[in-house]
Structure formats: C-alpha cells, structure tokens
Amino acid sequence: MWSAKRHALELLHPYARPVDLAADPALTSFATWCALAERHGNDWRAWPAQLRHPDAPAVAEQRRQLADRVAFHAWLQQLCDEQLDAVTTAARAAGMPLGVVHDLAVGIDPGGADGWQLADVLAQGVRVGAPPDDFNQLGQDWGLAAWRPDRLAATGYAAYRDMLRRALRHAGGLRVDHVAGLWRLWWVPPGGGAAEGTYVRYDAEAMLGILALEAHRAGAVVVGEDLGTVQPAVTRGLRGRNMLGSTVLWFARDDNGDFVPPARWPRNALATISTHDLPTAPGFLTGEHVRVRDELKLLGTDVAVEQARAAADRDRLLTMLRAENLLPEPTPQLPAVTVASVGAEQRTDADPALPDANATPDDGEVVVAMHAALAASPTRLIGVSLYDVLGEVRQPNMPGTVDEYPNWRLPLPASVAQIREDPRVRRIADLLSDARPRPGDPPPPGRDAVGQVNQSKRAGSPRKSA
C-alpha cells in the first residue's frame, strides 16, 4: 500500500510548493533520517558509524547528496500538517468543542527517527515496560526507549518541551499514555526480562509543570492515562493541575472487587469501557482474553483459575448493571398453564410469570448496558471504541507480545459504509447523544428541558405500561 502511495506522491511532488527547510530544523532532521533510511535501512543503529549522529559532518554531506529525497519527505510532513489542520477544523465545525484529542505515546522506537534525533537524551540499551499485574502476569516489555532524567535536566527539557508543542499544535486535547511515566518508568535492562526491571524516577514537578504550561498555551485539555500500578502522587498531581484522569470500567471496583456504580466515578476523568491494551467488551464477556493469553503462554496461573475468575467478574458486572437499572432483568420464565373446560367456557389457571434467575442475557444487550454506564457517569469525557460496538472479541494490542499476536493490525469487522448503517452503532450513538446533548440541542424524548432523565426510559430499563 505504501509503495503505491509513495509512487503517486512522487509523481505529484514536482508540482508542489517548495518547503522552507531552513525555517524548521527539526523537520529537516526528520526528512534527512527518512532519506537515509531509504538507503541504509530503518534502524539507524545499523547504519555506518559516521551517520549515527544527526550533527555529524557525514550526515550533512548525505543531506546535500540526497537533497531531492529530503525535500520530498519534508513535503509529505507538510501535507500531514495540512490534513491535521483540516481534520481539526472539520471536527469543530461539526460541533465537537475539543475537536481532536491526540495521543502521546509513552515512548518511541529506539531505532527510528526519534531515537536518532534524540539519542543524546535517551537511555541507550534499556527498554520501557511495566511490572507484572493481574492482566499481564509476566510483566511487559514494550521495547521502547526511555528519557534519561539527568540529560533532560541538563538540556533544560528542550526535547520534551518541543515534542509537546508539536503534539498540541493541532489538538484540542492530549491523552498522555502511561502518565505515571512522568514520575517514574519501569526500565528493563539489556538482556533482562520484563519482571527483572526496576523503577527509575523523574523530576515530576518539572515534567508535569512543562506539560501544564504547553497545554495552557495551546488551550488544550490533558487526559492522563493513570491505570495499572500508579502511585497516589500521580492522581494528586493530575487533580492539582485540573488534568483529567482515566476511568476504565474494568478497573472501577471497590476493595471487595465489586464494580462501582457509575454515579461514583470521578468527574475529572475520561471514562471508557476498555483500552487498546485490555479485552474488548465482547472479548471480556466471552472469556476470549483468557483463551488467547493461555494460547500465547502469558498466564502466570492455571487456565482453569483464570476462567473461573473471568466468569466471576462477568457475574459481578451483570449484578452492577442490573442494580443500576441499566440492564433488563432476566427474561420471565413462563409457568405451566392449566386449561379447564366448564361447559362452553374455558378457564385458565396460571401463576404470574417470574424472572428466570439463571437466564443468561444476550451479550449485545450487555454491551449496550455497558455504554449506558458510561453515559450515566459524571465524567467530563467519555470514549467509545468501535471494536466494542461492532462485536469484535479480539483486543487491538496484546502487551508482552511482538510477532506472536497481530498487534495494531486487526481490521474492523465492517467497512465504513456498513458501520454507518449498522443498527448497533446507531443505537449506542443515540444513547450517548441523549445522555450528553450538545449545548443548544433540543432535549431528546424522555428528557425534560433541564436535562432530567425519565427513569422508565433509562437504557435497558424495562418499560412499564399504564
């Protein structure tokens, strides 16, 4: 696909307006890496030694020799910049106050362009990951490069600041992946496994302060992904700067492991059912996350134990959704009927229908109820994944794997045209629109002018006839 696109773009490039490379040294450096990668491969660590630093004289000579390719790749970045600006404009014109919220990854490919340009402030050889937890019992090795805290401080955090400015240029918000990494990161040593890592601390006041300053300058909201093994200082730090945290349905539990009602979720948060690193809603309900982790040998306990835990978690979820009137009660079980004939008349004797306590609800209805839980929460933002809505059981990314699992390569199970016509998409979109109307929109059916919900029409509630 990229080969075909690149060929078409190369045909168009001679007609494009030239890019002023002198005006943006960082863009020039990136375009130089792209041109060198075409000749020497995508991992700069395998390049000739004289090309492994962007300021080396040999790199300057190669930039001169490859001027056409450098200009081409700079033009591609200019096109991306223009397209991002157009997307942001279109989103806001469509009534999205924030426009587009961009994602800031926890790290970068150490052999890629960022690793080459920022080598002086990165810890060479170590990889970023996470210690063992319930979902990833062997720990996680993400294979990403880590900032060196001493080099960041020595350079006045220039690389970090510049990265934030670029990320926020066309963003109404920024989601910071693994925001706890501003406080400390799990470093996996060369040759070691994920569980053999250790935490390395950063100057959180400086890291968070620069983030707050750049977001303020851009007029953007910040969402910190504060999931997993997170210190209380992380949550306090986000709250103290009016940044949003993350509330994920799977983790919204009390000390007994029961799911917390959405009304008790924090207001300053982005609420979602799952994340790209966790099971999808259908995957959780079917136990797919246990099956695939067992297949990939990622479980630290017996599979039967994990299956029992998954079944118990499902029951706890259904209990919470029913208690909140977000999921209909079990389908009534019709009793036996006795018909007696008396002359020309017939008489029917039957007890009222009773709920079947053992009935298993349809997974599609449970998925709708889970989205209703998001809508019922007080969180400032809610996020929805098409994987959940369209019934995909496979999660997009499986931490702890590289080639063993098709990470980030799973297509949606429907085309764009099919998604537009899918009744599941329309049902959940209507549910969320009714719960979170835009300013100026008329109140939907079942909601009065001040936004109070008619309880008989809450998603999943059984409707009562007069």
Side-chain angles (χ1 to χ4, degrees):
M1 179 66 75
W2 165 236
S3 295
K5 285 186 175 181
R6 181 176 58 190
H7 179 66
L9 290 164
E10 286 169 342
L11 295 175
L12 295 171
H13 180 229
Y15 305 98
R17 176 168 47 88
V19 178
D20 184 2
L21 296 177
D24 193 341
L27 173 60
T28 302
S29 180
F30 175 79
T32 300
W33 180 90
C34 293
L36 289 172
E38 290 180 332
R39 176 172 290 186
H40 300 288
N42 290 332
D43 191 337
W44 66 269
R45 295 169 296 184
W47 292 357
Q50 66 271 24
L51 298 178
R52 295 179 189 172
H53 195 284
D55 296 330
V59 171
E61 175 60 23
Q62 288 284 295
R63 183 181 299 118
R64 185 187 64 80
Q65 295 180 15
L66 300 172
D68 288 346
R69 298 308 295 170
V70 172
F72 172 70
H73 287 289
W75 174 63
L76 295 187
Q77 292 304 303
Q78 184 181 67
L79 291 180
C80 291
D81 192 71
E82 292 171 355
Q83 290 170 3
L84 284 172
D85 184 60
V87 166
T88 300
T89 300
R92 288 176 174 158
M96 299 170 64
L98 289 181
V100 178
V101 177
H102 289 223
D103 192 89
L104 181 65
V106 64
I108 51 91
D109 177 1
D114 294 313
W116 183 66
Q117 294 176 269
L118 304 175
D120 290 344
V121 292
L122 297 176
Q124 300 300 322
V126 302
R127 289 113 49 209
V128 174
D133 59 26
D134 286 343
F135 272 97
N136 303 284
Q137 297 169 359
L138 302 180
Q140 300 177 55
D141 179 352
W142 301 327
L144 305 175
W147 296 113
R148 270 184 57 173
D150 58 334
R151 291 296 302 152
L152 279 178
T155 56
Y157 294 86
Y160 174 63
R161 181 194 63 236
D162 292 345
M163 176 188 68
L164 292 174
R165 286 182 180 174
R166 299 244 176 196
L168 288 163
R169 185 159 56 184
H170 298 299
L174 188 66
R175 175 190 175 273
V176 182
D177 190 33
H178 193 63
V179 73
L182 303 184
W183 280 258
R184 63 180 188 175
L185 271 177
W186 185 258
W187 284 20
V188 180
E196 300 172 282
T198 189
Y199 278 113
V200 174
R201 298 185 182 279
Y202 294 79
D203 185 340
E205 286 299 314
M207 300 288 278
L208 199 61
I210 294 169
L211 173 60
L213 176 62
E214 296 302 330
H216 174 73
R217 286 173 170 168
V221 65
V222 173
V223 179
E225 188 265 288
D226 54 346
L227 306 173
T229 306
V230 175
Q231 297 173 299
V234 176
T235 303
R236 290 197 302 268
L238 295 176
R239 288 176 180 171
R241 289 167 177 80
N242 202 31
M243 296 178 179
L244 306 187
S246 297
T247 295
V248 173
L249 179 60
W250 305 145
F251 299 144
R253 315 257 191 135
D254 61 21
D255 293 339
N256 296 321
D258 294 325
F259 286 89
V260 173
R264 290 168 49 192
W265 295 359
R267 175 163 172 73
N268 268 15
L270 163 68
T272 60
I273 290 175
S274 185
T275 76
H276 52 263
D277 290 333
L278 296 172
T280 65
F284 173 84
L285 295 173
T286 60
E288 170 67 11
H289 58 301
V290 177
R291 186 202 66 77
V292 70
R293 286 190 296 152
D294 177 54
E295 181 180 284
L296 296 172
K297 303 188 185 309
L298 296 177
L299 295 178
T301 56
D302 185 76
V303 64
V305 173
E306 291 300 315
Q307 288 171 338
R309 180 185 298 177
D313 281 344
R314 177 190 168 100
D315 289 342
R316 284 174 164 172
L317 174 66
L318 299 184
T319 297
M320 184 276 286
L321 294 175
R322 284 173 175 148
E324 295 299 301
N325 292 323
L326 301 172
L327 183 67
E329 291 294 334
T331 303
Q333 184 179 32
L334 297 177
V337 177
T338 301
V339 179
S341 296
V342 182
E345 299 179 354
Q346 287 189 335
R347 178 171 52 85
T348 301
D349 295 325
D351 295 327
L354 299 175
D356 181 2
N358 297 318
T360 300
D362 175 73
D363 283 353
E365 292 300 317
V366 178
V367 170
V368 172
M370 293 160 77
H371 285 90
L374 298 183
S377 75
T379 58
R380 290 183 179 271
L381 298 176
I382 55 178
V384 177
S385 168
L386 280 171
Y387 285 98
D388 295 334
V389 180
L390 297 174
E392 175 60 70
V393 299
R394 300 170 298 173
Q395 66 191 67
N397 183 54
M398 185 66 65
T401 65
V402 180
D403 297 323
E404 308 94 315
Y405 188 84
N407 295 313
W408 305 114
R409 300 193 299 276
L410 295 174
L412 288 170
S415 67
V416 173
Q418 291 170 331
I419 290 171
R420 289 182 181 275
E421 300 299 324
D422 195 303
R424 295 170 296 181
V425 175
R426 174 50 52 197
R427 183 179 179 188
I428 289 177
D430 288 345
L431 184 158
L432 298 177
S433 297
D434 289 353
R436 302 288 182 99
R438 291 178 295 186
D441 285 354
R447 187 184 297 268
D448 63 26
V450 296
Q452 298 300 314
V453 178
N454 181 330
Q455 292 299 312
S456 69
K457 291 194 176 183
R458 280 181 81 179
S461 299
R463 299 192 177 183
K464 299 178 181 178
S465 57

